[in-house]
Amino acid sequence: MDLSDSPEDAEFRARLREWLGKVLPTLPPKPSPDDWPGRRAHDLGWQRTLYDAGYADVHWQASPAVRLIFLEETERAGAPYVGANFVGLLHAGPTIAAEGTPAQRARWLPPVLRGEEVWCQGFSEPDAGSDLAALRTRAWRDGDDYVVSGSKIWTSHAEVADWCELLVRTDPGAPKHRGITWLAMPMDAPGITVRPLRTLAGSAEFAEVFLDEVRVPVAHRVGEENDGWRVTMVTLSFERGTAFVGEVVACRRVLGELALEARRNGRWDDPALRRRLGALDAGFRALWRLTQWNVSEAEAAGGPPGIGGSVFKLRYSQARQELYDVAADVLGDDALDLDRPWVADRLSSLSYTIAAGTSQIQRNIVAERILGLPKGR
Amino acid sequence: MRFRLTDDQRALRDGVRGLLARRFDRTALRSAVDRPGRLDRTLWRELGAAGFFALRLPEADGGVGLGLPEAVLMFEEAGRALLPGPLVATHLAAGRVPGAADGETVVAAVDGGGLVEWLAEADVVCGDAEGARPLRSVDPLTPLHRVPDAAAAVDPVAVLLTAAEQLGTATRACELAVQHARAREQFGRPIGAFQAVKHLCAELLVRAEVARAAVYAAAVTAAPADIAAARLLADEAAVRGARDCLQVHGGMGFTWEADVHLLLKRAWVRGRRAGGGAAGEELLAAELLSGAAR
Ligand SMILES: Cc1cc2nc3c(=O)[nH]c(=O)nc-3n(C[C@H](O)[C@H](O)[C@H](O)COP(=O)(O)OP(=O)(O)OC[C@H]3O[C@@H](n4cnc5c(N)ncnc54)[C@H](O)[C@@H]3O)c2cc1C
């Protein structure tokens, strides 16, 4: 068991740290949360900066250990988050890299890396959330196109996306997992209506997407027709992999800030509050170590982080919500003031046990696929 | 960074597991329960011969010359087997108390908490046990004395090895729960097919795996804050894990004949040792203020 960097990893870390120190002070200020065009431009700009410095593909090419160092150092330095690039960089891109044809890789991957195109994820539907394979959006062949009709919901960043990783039903007669196809849909195609949905935090983070006979070229299909469920599992394995790792570092930083704030406003004198902060710190320390463990195991096995990601996600989503609940105790009455720091974060943390697979679904995965308990209904 | 067990560490763990399976199987566990307060001296010497106590002593001093990570793996196995006795105290006394290293001497210690384990069976007691009075221990496998002035400094290694034992017990609780959930049938199917049971088992695993990462990392860094964190998570994994395991067992779990209560009671006893609970949380809180997290 070794927690120290290898010489090459240490060199990567040192170079990255030095570069971040130089480049971060030159970045434009963060746009306000409701300024979507501004946020898109900001996130794409950061990706372009990474591209120019040779770090754009760190999530795809590098060893898991290097990816971890990248997430740790960028977060520690306060670099921008992937933001609008989340889907393209962390799951659509890797899926296309793994399952796409050479032509598809050449068409879609470079613009993601260069910070030119934003992707969104059109998986969930009003009647297909946890039970994703119940999706009903239909697609039928017409010449060289699929014609798609139906609707998607909770689509994050749909308003500013250029492409959508879209799941459609191509064979309504087949068993529900068998008739699904994975398509790359251009978001400017005729027949697409995006209707922003307000989140409980008040922002328009996600949207409903209505599809009325939208034409998507057959050449945009990733994987075989009706083999989309398998491709989807590839996508989800990336989504649940190391995607949340940088955030653990961020949570520990917030915890330190909360301690200072509590000392400033006198609540530090309450031993019950101190103890909760200490207990949370233990949890975040452990989550960071668990990540290092998962990454080391994945590296040894030569694959992406496996279902161990569900273990991490379960505990992390809970810890993140506890963190902001403690923040509310530190803030006292100010916890009800949306202009105070951490209050909006508290609201958005409520999505963590829902998005990317609810905690109940993750527990099923852990119980059935790791512990081997019988499948239920 | 290669944060995984080396081949040697795996071999050591498997070796200890094998030894305990041979020498302290379920029959031995239950007969120890039937003879409360008595330590198996022969087994103690065998543990000594296997290097359990001398593991971290330099080879020049007759030890095995290994480090904290290896000690943690051994104590995890001890916790998994519910091995009784003042294991941590004797391990820490090796090299300082004659006979401790090879298991000839049984050493108890006043660790800064208010209780001493195995005082009456010990040949040597480290710390001031003046005025110690026996209490009727909740754990049939750990006799306890209360000491009036337990002011000893807390040894971080003792805190870490306790965490390792708790981790082992948490792992055992998860295994027992899953075994039972697969085998026991109600309503015409294994109870493990029901989500309410499935989710208890999943949380058992999550707590144990998170604790494992923390305990192993603390063994590598030996930093007091890492050790405090490891102990808190391992205490949680063992105590809550044993409770959930009991719940999964239903009426069987409330039965003396089943081993589940032994897991919970031992986890409670270890949870009262110095360095856990409030002390650990306060240590980490102070660390937050010092800015170490940022
Ligand atoms: C902030 C946010 C962003 C999102 N972004 C996207 C996106 O970009 N693209 C996209 O496709 N989707 C997105 N989603 C959707 C997300 O994936 C779904 O919300 C999620 O999978 C749950 O589905 P649902 O909302 O339909 O809830 P439901 O599936 O209806 O679940 C409701 C409740 O029932 C429980 N439940 C359901 N089935 C079971 C079961 N078998 N066992 C036990 N309990 C069960 C759930 O745990 C939950 O508590 C986003 C969601 C959020 C909150």
Side-chain angles (χ1 to χ4, degrees):
Chain A
M1 287 188 280
D2 181 7
L3 283 163
S4 57
D5 290 340
S6 71
E8 307 85 69
D9 289 352
E11 198 205 307
F12 175 81
R13 189 191 291 278
R15 246 190 312 125
L16 176 62
R17 202 177 270 186
E18 191 195 326
W19 178 75
L20 286 167
K22 274 201 302 244
V23 75
L24 290 184
T26 70
L27 290 188
K30 246 184 101 172
S32 87
D34 288 328
D35 174 9
W36 278 98
R39 280 175 65 175
R40 176 187 153 108
H42 186 81
D43 296 345
L44 288 178
W46 170 238
Q47 181 59 26
R48 179 72 206 195
T49 307
L50 288 171
Y51 179 83
D52 289 339
Y55 292 117
D57 63 350
V58 76
H59 300 291
W60 299 359
Q61 309 284 330
S63 75
V66 163
R67 214 146 61 216
L68 202 64
I69 292 171
F70 178 81
L71 290 165
E72 187 182 6
E73 291 298 327
T74 47
E75 187 50 61
R76 199 168 268 165
Y81 183 59
V82 278
N85 288 310
F86 188 90
V87 173
L89 272 175
L90 300 184
H91 47 97
T95 303
I96 292 166
E99 297 289 329
T101 62
Q104 290 173 336
R105 293 203 287 269
R107 165 60 191 88
W108 285 311
L109 301 187
V112 169
L113 294 181
R114 286 195 300 258
E116 290 162 2
E117 290 181 345
V118 167
W119 283 71
C120 63
Q121 180 188 40
F123 283 14
S124 304
E125 295 182 7
D127 292 325
S130 298
D131 187 10
L132 182 55
L135 64 93
R136 289 207 296 244
T137 291
R138 278 278 288 128
W140 58 94
R141 287 282 275 269
D142 182 28
D144 290 337
D145 290 337
Y146 285 105
V147 182
V148 183
S149 280
S151 70
K152 295 288 171 178
I153 196 167
W154 324 125
T155 317
S156 302
H157 301 118
E159 268 191 283
V160 295
D162 304 286
W163 293 93
C164 178
E165 48 173 15
L166 185 76
L167 294 186
V168 294
R169 183 160 302 283
T170 32
D171 182 356
K176 71 178 189 178
H177 292 88
R178 301 255 174 77
I180 294 170
T181 299
W182 200 107
L183 298 178
M185 176 178 76
M187 288 298 283
D188 59 359
I192 300 180
T193 310
V194 175
R195 196 168 71 94
L197 283 170
R198 260 159 78 93
T199 71
L200 59 74
S203 67
E205 194 83 28
F206 48 33
E208 281 178 285
V209 179
F210 299 97
L211 307 164
D212 181 15
E213 306 210 339
V214 179
R215 299 190 82 87
V216 179
V218 172
H220 286 17
R221 186 187 71 214
V222 174
E224 295 304 311
E225 186 169 293
N226 299 328
D227 191 27
W229 187 251
R230 191 188 57 78
V231 183
T232 303
M233 291 304 110
V234 173
T235 308
L236 293 184
S237 77
F238 288 115
E239 182 173 12
R240 286 167 198 166
T242 46
F244 295 105
V245 166
E247 300 183 16
V248 176
V249 181
C251 285
R252 293 204 62 212
R253 196 181 59 227
V254 170
L255 207 50
E257 291 164 5
L258 284 175
L260 291 176
E261 172 64 19
R263 192 173 58 178
R264 202 193 54 72
N265 71 20
R267 291 199 168 80
W268 188 254
D269 297 336
D270 173 4
L273 180 77
R274 284 199 308 268
R275 290 189 55 183
R276 283 180 73 196
L277 287 168
L280 261 175
D281 185 48
F284 282 114
R285 278 171 189 268
L287 281 164
W288 180 245
R289 298 313 192 183
L290 179 64
T291 301
Q292 291 175 317
W293 183 269
N294 285 343
V295 160
S296 298
E297 289 283 346
E299 201 147 43
I307 36 180
S310 291
V311 171
F312 175 85
K313 192 191 179 254
L314 268 169
R315 183 72 182 227
Y316 173 63
S317 52
Q318 176 203 336
R320 188 179 174 101
Q321 291 175 357
E322 283 169 15
L323 171 68
Y324 289 107
D325 283 344
V326 177
D329 287 353
V330 171
L331 287 169
D333 287 347
D334 284 350
L336 302 179
D337 177 354
L338 280 169
D339 285 333
R340 293 290 311 213
W342 305 311
V343 178
D345 296 315
R346 185 183 192 202
L347 292 175
S348 60
S349 78
L350 297 172
S351 76
Y352 276 73
T353 46
I354 299 169
T358 69
S359 290
Q360 285 72 34
I361 296 297
Q362 301 294 342
R363 284 189 197 104
N364 289 347
I365 292 174
V366 168
E368 289 168 13
R369 297 203 222 145
I370 302 181
L371 296 176
L373 288 173
K375 271 184 104 61
R377 267 177 305 131
Chain B
M1 183 192 71
R2 278 206 175 69
F3 186 37
R4 53 197 301 271
L5 299 190
T6 63
D7 290 343
D8 285 349
Q9 287 167 343
R10 246 173 248 282
L12 174 85
R13 183 198 57 191
D14 295 347
V16 178
R17 188 173 296 183
L19 169 76
L20 293 179
R22 280 193 308 280
R23 278 300 280 111
F24 195 69
D25 61 2
R26 178 146 200 284
T27 320
L29 174 73
R30 294 312 302 209
S31 72
V33 171
D34 294 339
R35 298 183 314 150
R38 299 271 308 283
L39 203 59
D40 180 347
R41 295 281 179 151
T42 317
L43 174 57
W44 206 253
R45 277 186 214 103
E46 283 174 54
L47 291 172
F52 202 96
F53 305 117
L55 189 79
R56 291 183 309 123
L57 277 189
E59 285 178 73
D61 301 340
V64 187
L66 291 172
L68 266 186
E70 287 77 19
V72 153
L73 292 173
M74 281 202 338
F75 275 78
E76 180 186 344
E77 290 307 318
R80 197 165 163 279
L82 284 184
L83 190 63
L87 297 161
V88 173
T90 304
H91 178 93
L92 288 176
R96 290 189 286 124
V97 173
D102 49 19
E104 287 301 326
T105 309
V106 173
V107 184
V110 183
D111 77 342
L115 301 167
V116 194
E117 299 170 22
W118 290 99
L119 185 62
E121 279 284 288
D123 306 312
V124 175
V125 180
C126 296
D128 181 8
E130 186 73 31
R133 310 178 65 137
L135 51 87
R136 216 155 62 81
S137 174
V138 66
D139 177 11
L141 290 174
T142 313
L144 290 171
H145 279 71
R146 199 193 306 278
V147 280
D149 306 302
V154 178
D155 181 344
V157 174
V159 179
L160 177 64
L161 295 180
T162 295
E165 287 185 281
Q166 295 283 56
L167 169 63
T169 294
T171 307
R172 174 79 173 270
C174 185
E175 288 166 1
L176 284 182
V178 170
Q179 244 172 42
H180 190 73
R182 283 210 196 107
R184 173 76 173 168
E185 292 196 7
Q186 291 294 316
F187 302 97
R189 49 209 307 216
I191 56 168
F194 299 114
Q195 255 183 8
V197 174
K198 204 175 269 190
H199 288 191
L200 282 176
C201 294
E203 290 294 334
L204 266 158
L205 182 79
V206 169
R207 286 191 299 263
E209 289 306 306
V210 173
R212 180 183 316 285
V215 170
Y216 290 1
V220 173
T221 70
D226 280 338
I227 289 175
R231 173 69 188 280
L232 287 168
L233 288 153
D235 280 348
E236 181 201 15
V239 172
R240 290 201 47 194
R243 290 187 90 120
D244 287 353
C245 179
L246 198 149
Q247 184 66 21
V248 168
H249 278 75
M252 179 66 86
F254 197 70
T255 306
W256 185 268
E257 291 309 314
D259 297 341
V260 187
H261 66 111
L262 300 175
L263 302 184
L264 179 58
K265 290 165 177 175
R266 188 71 65 83
W268 277 342
V269 167
R270 294 194 203 106
R272 296 301 305 174
R273 290 184 196 158
E281 287 166 351
E282 289 282 8
L283 186 150
L284 287 165
E287 190 91 355
L288 281 176
L289 268 194
S290 77
R294 275 152 295 133

